[in-house]
Amino acid sequence: MAFTYVIAGYQPDGDPAADERVTLPAGTVGVGPDAFRDVDALCEVVLPEGVREVGDRAFAGCLHLRRAELPATLETLGRAAFQHCRALAEAPLPDGLRMLGARAFEDCGALEAVAVPPGVTELPPFAFARCFSLRRVRLEPGLRSIGRRAFASCSSLEEIEIPWTVADIAEEAFIGCTALRRVLVASPRLAVGDRAFRGCTVLGDDAQAQGLRRDFPGAF
């Protein structure tokens, strides 16, 4: 079987229907860095089973991209892969994902829900920063750290449950989450960085919130 690898430089062919919805061919094993970057006409992309890697900035700046279908075989989603895809509302992460790059979904303002698979052990800096519509986040046991500004300015996020496996929440991880009312912490050994919850002005006063304020005053 012949394998292909989309490296870079997708060129719209002038057919609006074809440019709006792109389905990569069977046999594709990867989407290279900058492959579809700033392709303004792109509204939907389907990656076939067999794709293992999406490179850095592969779909960054696709302002009208609303849906990305990612295959179960995907293991690596590169840095800033969907950064500034402001119309992106649907891009479920497959269970087999192992590596999520920094800023992967930064400034995806239409994204409302995300489930981070258990194989992702580190949530990188700015991963979902400025996802203003993000309301539902599911983090699975296996995650060990939440990076700097990972959820910064997610102003619609109301609740977050931190799995027991998480040992570190970096500085400013949830800064500016102005709707955040509840943080559920299952981890018995947790370090929380400075300003991690700065600007979370409606965070409740339950026992867990009180414990966070007591143990990590610099986080608020």
Side-chain angles (χ1 to χ4, degrees), residues 10-215:
Y10 171 82
Q11 295 294 325
D13 63 8
D15 179 352
D19 294 338
E20 286 181 4
R21 189 182 193 277
V22 172
T23 299
L24 298 189
T28 300
V29 298
V31 180
D34 302 296
F36 292 85
R37 185 176 183 178
D38 296 329
V39 176
D40 196 49
L42 185 63
C43 294
E44 181 177 350
V45 64
V46 178
L47 307 187
E49 294 299 323
V51 171
R52 297 193 296 269
E53 179 178 0
V54 172
D56 296 350
R57 304 170 305 277
F59 297 95
C62 293
L63 297 180
H64 294 95
L65 181 63
R66 296 189 298 269
R67 178 177 180 269
E69 185 175 319
L70 305 177
T73 52
L74 186 67
E75 297 177 352
T76 300
L77 191 62
R79 180 182 178 90
F82 290 97
Q83 185 185 44
H84 306 316
C85 292
R86 293 170 182 159
L88 185 65
E90 184 181 350
L93 299 176
D95 288 342
L97 190 69
R98 295 290 180 268
M99 201 284 287
L100 184 67
R103 303 180 185 270
F105 291 93
E106 182 184 21
D107 195 26
C108 290
L111 195 65
E112 294 186 2
V114 65
V116 178
V120 176
T121 59
E122 298 180 1
L123 202 58
F126 295 87
F128 298 97
R130 298 198 298 156
C131 290
F132 304 119
S133 299
L134 189 62
R135 297 178 183 277
R136 299 181 301 280
V137 172
R138 189 172 79 240
L139 305 178
E140 298 286 354
L143 185 67
R144 296 198 298 261
S145 64
I146 298 174
R148 180 175 180 266
R149 287 185 168 255
F151 293 99
S153 300
C154 290
S155 53
S156 296
L157 184 64
E158 295 185 0
E159 180 175 304
I160 187 76
E161 182 172 354
I162 309 298
W164 66 270
T165 52
V166 172
D168 180 67
I169 297 177
E171 62 182 9
E172 301 179 348
F174 294 92
I175 193 171
C177 291
T178 53
L180 188 63
R181 296 179 179 275
R182 193 177 186 202
V183 178
L184 303 174
V185 180
S187 177
R189 295 181 298 275
L190 182 66
V192 180
D194 290 344
R195 302 175 302 281
F197 296 99
R198 181 69 56 83
C200 300
T201 53
V202 298
L203 188 62
D205 200 31
D206 57 23
Q208 293 223 339
Q210 290 179 20
L212 287 171
R213 289 191 176 97
R214 180 188 66 244
D215 296 339

